[in-house]
């Protein structure tokens, strides 16, 4: 079994089709957790990023 590759927030955002600000918001909301750090930069597992993106799409909308 190989170790998961860690990527920067900017690359994670690019792969998920969102902005880096969205990645930071997911972290603030607890939807996504960094898997490591490189200097000051947070690093993420790509599968965690995709899971957070899918979770956001499934979010139920409230009737207004």
């Amino acid at each position: 079994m190989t170790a998961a590759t860690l990527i920067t927030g900017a690359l994670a955002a690019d792969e998920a089709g969102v902005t880096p600000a969205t990645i930071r918001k997911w972290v603030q909301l607890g939807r996504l957790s960094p898997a490591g750090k490189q200097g000051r930069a947070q690093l993420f597992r790509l599968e965690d990023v995709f899971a957070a993106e899918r979770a956001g799409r499934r979010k139920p909308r409230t009737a207004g």
Side-chain angles (χ1 to χ4, degrees), residues 7-29 31-32 34 41-44 49 52-53:
I7 59 174
T8 64
L11 184 55
D14 191 51
E15 290 291 327
V18 299
T19 66
T22 299
I23 297 292
R24 290 190 298 272
K25 190 65 158 178
W26 290 349
V27 171
Q28 283 181 332
L29 295 172
R31 188 189 297 177
L32 178 63
Q42 294 178 323
L43 301 175
F44 303 93
V49 175
E53 192 272 333

Side-chain angles (χ1 to χ4, degrees), residues 35-53:
K37 284 194 132 201
Q38 181 177 1
R40 289 179 46 198
Q42 294 178 323
L43 301 175
F44 303 93
R45 282 188 283 272
L46 193 54
E47 57 266 30
D48 294 345
V49 175
F50 287 148
E53 192 272 333

